[in-house]
Amino acid sequence: AKEAGRNTFAFFTSAMNRDVSRRLLLEEQMHGALARDEFRVCYQPKIDVKSGEITGFEALLRWRNPTLGDVSPGEFIPVAEHTGLILPLGEFVLQEALATGAAWYNEFHRELSMAVNLSPRQFRDPNLINHIKQRIAKSGFPQHCLELEITEGVLMSGHGFIETALDELTDAGIIIAMDDFGTGYSSLSYLRNYPFDVLKIDQSFVRDITHDHADLELVCAAITMAHNLGLSVIAEGVETTEQLDLLATHDCDSAQGYLISRPMEQEDAKQMLEERQTY
Ligand code: C2E
Ligand code: CA
Ligand code: CA
Ligand code: CA
């Protein structure tokens, strides 16, 4: 038993070492990566469930590094949060997304929403709100078409001014979405206390709705509750027509997922808009 214990210990240590060195490698490669143009933004469409119309896009960050290849945001965003690089990165995404949104707005004359993810660290910057407003004004993108996706982590990172910040954004007509709804511990109290416009049901609930009755019940309850509070509901991670049909039956407003499209390069997203209005 002692032997096994020691082996287990050795196993954990080497696994931990591997994680640490991977993290260090990421940090190292990320240094200067923005200036080297290694980051870009992809766009995933959102549709109106009833009409199938494309209503907007979510901007998603991508990183391609000569040494590491493609690194997923699930892996590099936490590192960027840790090092603080998320601040210039967040800036980059916002600027790119607004520029793209403005270009499409001028070309297609459609009021498509553009959603940008904000992470906790960005929200700790007391200048964030002014900054966002200035950026929008400069871009020529309609203010009421910008959507900010915020997770519970942002609200938990606390500080009294988040409420004021969200109120200010709301007053400016900017749309506020609660991302990953259902995965945290306090989503309900946050919904009560903050001025959300959109509730985004996490993909882990959407995945099994066609065969897991409990998940379907939860999704339906979330939809009903959100509607009673005056929020609109989007389901993320929609991968099958069965899921989309079921969501339509249960009055979900919007959908996003691989079924409609994977996140696309900017030119491909534009081409999608040129070719059709609906999914
Ligand atoms: P998220 O905000 O919840 O974004 C949705 C994620 O689900 C994206 O992963 C998207 O590509 C993926 N997805 C979309 N449809 C489907 C589907 O049908 N099936 C499955 N299995 N997945 C789908 P991605 O792009 O890898 O991003 C992962 C996370 O990284 C995001 O989760 C978000 O938390 C973070 N992230 C990405 N870009 C940014 C950014 O610009 N800023 C910040 N702060 N976070 C970002
Ligand atoms: Ca999101
Ligand atoms: Ca999500
Ligand atoms: Ca609001």
Side-chain angles (χ1 to χ4, degrees):
K2 207 166 187 185
E3 202 56 22
R6 202 180 305 143
N7 285 339
T8 313
F9 179 69
F11 170 76
F12 277 124
T13 336
S14 77
M16 271 153 55
N17 279 338
R18 207 175 49 232
D19 286 356
V20 169
S21 47
R22 170 80 179 168
R23 202 181 169 100
L24 288 176
L25 185 62
L26 288 178
E27 279 188 26
E28 187 186 289
Q29 290 299 319
M30 225 184 269
H31 188 79
L34 192 54
R36 294 192 302 267
D37 285 332
E38 292 176 16
F39 290 99
R40 67 188 197 285
V41 178
C42 282
Y43 299 91
Q44 188 179 36
K46 303 180 180 189
I47 61 164
D48 178 280
V49 167
K50 294 235 155 60
S51 65
E53 198 184 339
I54 297 165
T55 54
F57 290 84
E58 177 176 5
L60 292 159
L61 199 51
R62 293 292 176 261
W63 181 27
R64 182 167 295 165
N65 176 265
T67 308
L68 299 165
D70 288 318
V71 186
S72 81
E75 192 177 16
F76 73 75
I77 295 278
V79 179
E81 274 269 316
H82 178 76
T83 60
L85 187 74
I86 193 68
L87 296 177
L89 264 185
E91 179 91 359
F92 168 75
V93 177
L94 182 67
Q95 204 170 321
E96 282 288 305
L98 286 171
T100 301
W104 291 348
Y105 179 68
N106 291 329
E107 179 142 358
F108 302 110
H109 308 288
R110 287 173 60 186
E111 297 214 328
L112 299 162
S113 66
M114 180 60 81
V116 172
N117 294 283
L118 287 184
S119 49
R121 181 91 174 230
Q122 288 174 277
F123 249 86
R124 272 191 272 148
D125 170 12
N127 256 322
L128 179 73
I129 308 304
N130 276 333
H131 200 82
I132 291 175
K133 286 187 189 169
Q134 280 168 10
R135 283 262 173 255
I136 302 177
K138 239 186 243 166
S139 72
F141 185 68
Q143 189 146 298
H144 60 275
C145 293
L146 178 65
E147 185 168 337
L148 299 175
E149 298 193 0
I150 294 169
T151 59
E152 228 179 77
V154 167
L155 307 174
M156 252 162 20
S157 76
H159 310 313
F161 70 86
I162 288 197
E163 193 166 352
T164 329
L166 290 185
D167 283 341
E168 254 180 80
L169 291 170
T170 297
D171 289 346
I174 294 165
I175 307 160
I176 314 285
M178 177 177 257
D179 207 350
D180 300 345
F181 181 77
T183 58
Y185 295 106
S186 322
S187 312
L188 290 178
S189 69
Y190 289 130
L191 272 191
R192 185 182 58 190
N193 292 325
Y194 295 100
F196 285 102
D197 304 294
V198 178
L199 188 147
K200 199 162 185 186
I201 300 178
D202 190 68
Q203 52 192 58
S204 61
F205 291 94
V206 175
R207 193 186 309 128
D208 298 327
I209 48 169
T210 50
H211 49 273
D212 186 325
H213 188 68
D215 281 2
L216 180 61
E217 284 299 328
L218 284 171
V219 167
C220 289
I223 293 171
T224 305
M225 179 197 62
H227 284 167
N228 287 339
L229 291 171
L231 279 74
S232 99
V233 182
I234 180 163
E236 68 178 4
V238 177
E239 295 184 351
T240 69
T241 23
E242 291 74 21
Q243 288 168 340
L244 187 61
D245 291 346
L246 202 50
L247 288 163
T249 308
H250 293 285
D251 228 17
C252 186
D253 304 288
S254 316
Q256 182 181 354
Y258 294 168
L259 173 69
I260 295 114
S261 165
R262 292 194 172 244
M264 285 175 278
E265 301 295 335
Q266 188 189 316
E267 312 77 61
D268 297 331
K270 184 181 172 198
Q271 200 182 334
M272 183 179 191
L273 283 174
E274 270 162 2
E275 287 168 0
R276 51 206 168 112
Q277 303 255 327
T278 58
Y279 152 66

